Amino acid sequence: MFPAPSRKGTVPFRGHRTWYRITGDLSSGLTPLVVAHGGPGSTHDYLLRLTEFAADGRPVIHYDQLGNGGSTHLPDHGADFWTVGLFLDELDNLLSQLGVADDYLLFGQSWGGMLGAAHAARRPAGLRGLVIANSPASMVLWRQECERLKDEMPAPHREALRRHGATGDFDHPEYTRAVYAFYGRHMCRADPLPREVGATLLELQSDPTVYSTMNGPNDFHVIGTLRDWSLIESLPRIEVPVLVISGRYDEATPLTVQPFLDHVPDVRWELFEESSHMPHVEEPARFDAVLARWLDERQRDGRRGAATA
């Protein structure tokens, strides 16, 4: 279904292993696109459509963040281990180990977009551009907007979410049905659910360590360590061009992405009218066109920069 990887394996990180997958040739001369998945606690699988951008020669690098997928699982590690700093350092290590740290583009989806923004705010020398896809700039805003979205659910689902959420009975069948109804409206509206999205959900269920520690029981009941995390103060430090992507029905509502537009110096926003949290599978044709145009612009910028250096 997707292009076969030209290379895959793991790199060492603090005594553990980070799994990666490369589609295309790193020596092609085109700036590689590094893909950071969401969660925290998901896997790369649901973003495999981005391998199609390797068809024109651009290498695409997926990886599973520590604790997930093909990377080392550490179910006995607690909240003091699973930190934003850990995942920022892991990304730096991956870029260095794969030899792309001096020239790369970064695509981050959901939590991966927040991670990407925090990475960009450190002003890494080799970063040429950043895509922030379906990501809030602040988990406080995310939680606030999720409360509003829950209030807009049909009454039976809304009441189930409130009642069982208040008691912590997250395994109750009524609560589970309401969660899936929320996700069908605001996480992925594609029907049937793409196989690669299902693969990530199964991986997440098999080891929820990272997700439950940092986020909570589901996307809209955030009680983990990220519940008050905000990027807003660091956004003016981002120097590279940024493309913000979100969907009309997204969990990451316009209010949650507005700080990116207000504070990132070089930013563009694309709103996908028929999508929720995954435009790459909900509106694939338009998504491909938008991202292809942005990638081409970054490549032209790179050539101009080399010519004037």
Side-chain angles (χ1 to χ4, degrees):
M1 179 179 180
F2 300 109
S6 53
R7 175 179 153 198
K8 60 182 180 179
T10 63
V11 298
F13 175 63
R14 296 184 180 174
H16 311 300
R17 309 293 299 187
T18 300
W19 181 93
Y20 69 88
R21 178 194 202 276
I22 301 173
T23 310
D25 183 359
L26 289 180
S27 63
S28 68
L30 295 179
T31 302
L33 178 66
V34 180
V35 181
H37 64 71
S42 294
T43 63
H44 77 284
D45 302 84
Y46 77 103
L47 292 166
L48 278 171
R49 275 206 69 251
L50 274 70
T51 58
E52 297 173 6
F53 288 91
D56 294 329
R58 180 184 306 281
V60 179
I61 301 170
H62 287 79
Y63 75 106
D64 285 336
Q65 294 159 25
L66 195 65
N68 311 300
S71 296
T72 305
H73 288 240
L74 299 162
D76 57 343
H77 284 48
D80 58 338
F81 180 82
W82 302 111
T83 64
V84 175
L86 172 78
F87 292 108
L88 286 170
D89 292 347
E90 181 188 33
L91 175 56
D92 288 343
N93 180 71
L94 179 75
L95 297 169
S96 176
Q97 292 277 345
L98 295 182
V100 300
D102 61 347
D103 183 39
Y104 63 99
L105 296 158
L106 183 59
F107 180 103
Q109 200 277 338
S110 196
W111 143 259
M114 299 187 79
L115 186 69
H119 174 78
R122 291 181 167 188
R123 297 180 175 174
L127 180 62
R128 306 299 177 221
L130 170 66
V131 181
I132 299 173
N134 316 101
S135 310
S138 159
M139 293 304 292
V140 174
L141 291 176
W142 172 275
R143 290 190 289 111
Q144 173 185 318
E145 284 293 273
C146 281
E147 290 302 308
R148 181 179 65 80
L149 294 177
K150 283 193 287 186
D151 286 342
E152 295 175 357
M153 293 289 289
H157 295 318
R158 180 175 67 246
E159 292 164 5
L161 292 174
R162 298 295 185 197
R163 183 168 59 255
H164 300 297
T167 61
D169 191 4
F170 304 123
D171 294 324
H172 193 285
E174 287 183 349
Y175 189 82
T176 300
R177 285 193 294 272
V179 168
Y180 281 114
F182 184 96
Y183 285 168
R185 287 165 67 113
H186 300 298
M187 193 264 284
C188 186
R189 297 167 74 90
D191 187 17
L193 196 69
R195 181 178 300 178
E196 66 272 23
V197 176
T200 282
L201 295 177
L202 287 173
E203 288 273 8
L204 179 57
Q205 291 171 6
S206 71
D207 186 355
T209 302
V210 182
Y211 185 79
S212 61
T213 301
M214 298 184 74
N215 187 84
N218 54 58
D219 284 5
F220 51 84
H221 195 77
V222 183
I223 56 176
T225 57
L226 289 182
R227 69 185 313 273
D228 295 320
W229 184 43
S230 175
L231 294 160
I232 294 175
E233 290 187 1
S234 66
L235 296 179
R237 291 184 50 79
I238 298 177
E239 296 179 322
V240 297
V242 172
L243 171 64
V244 173
I245 288 173
S246 64
R248 173 64 66 187
Y249 305 99
D250 206 332
E251 298 170 292
T253 66
L255 181 66
T256 71
V257 305
Q258 188 63 46
F260 294 122
L261 312 180
D262 291 340
H263 300 294
V264 174
D266 183 356
V267 64
R268 177 191 311 170
W269 181 33
E270 291 280 352
L271 179 66
F272 286 74
E273 293 290 345
E274 304 300 324
S275 294
S276 57
H277 200 53
M278 298 188 184
H280 64 283
V281 297
E282 296 170 283
E283 291 183 71
R286 184 176 171 224
F287 174 87
D288 289 354
V290 167
L291 186 55
R293 183 172 64 249
W294 187 83
L295 291 171
D296 288 344
E297 290 171 357
R298 302 288 72 75
Q299 203 65 44
R300 290 196 297 272
D301 288 349
R303 286 195 293 267
R304 282 196 294 269
T308 58

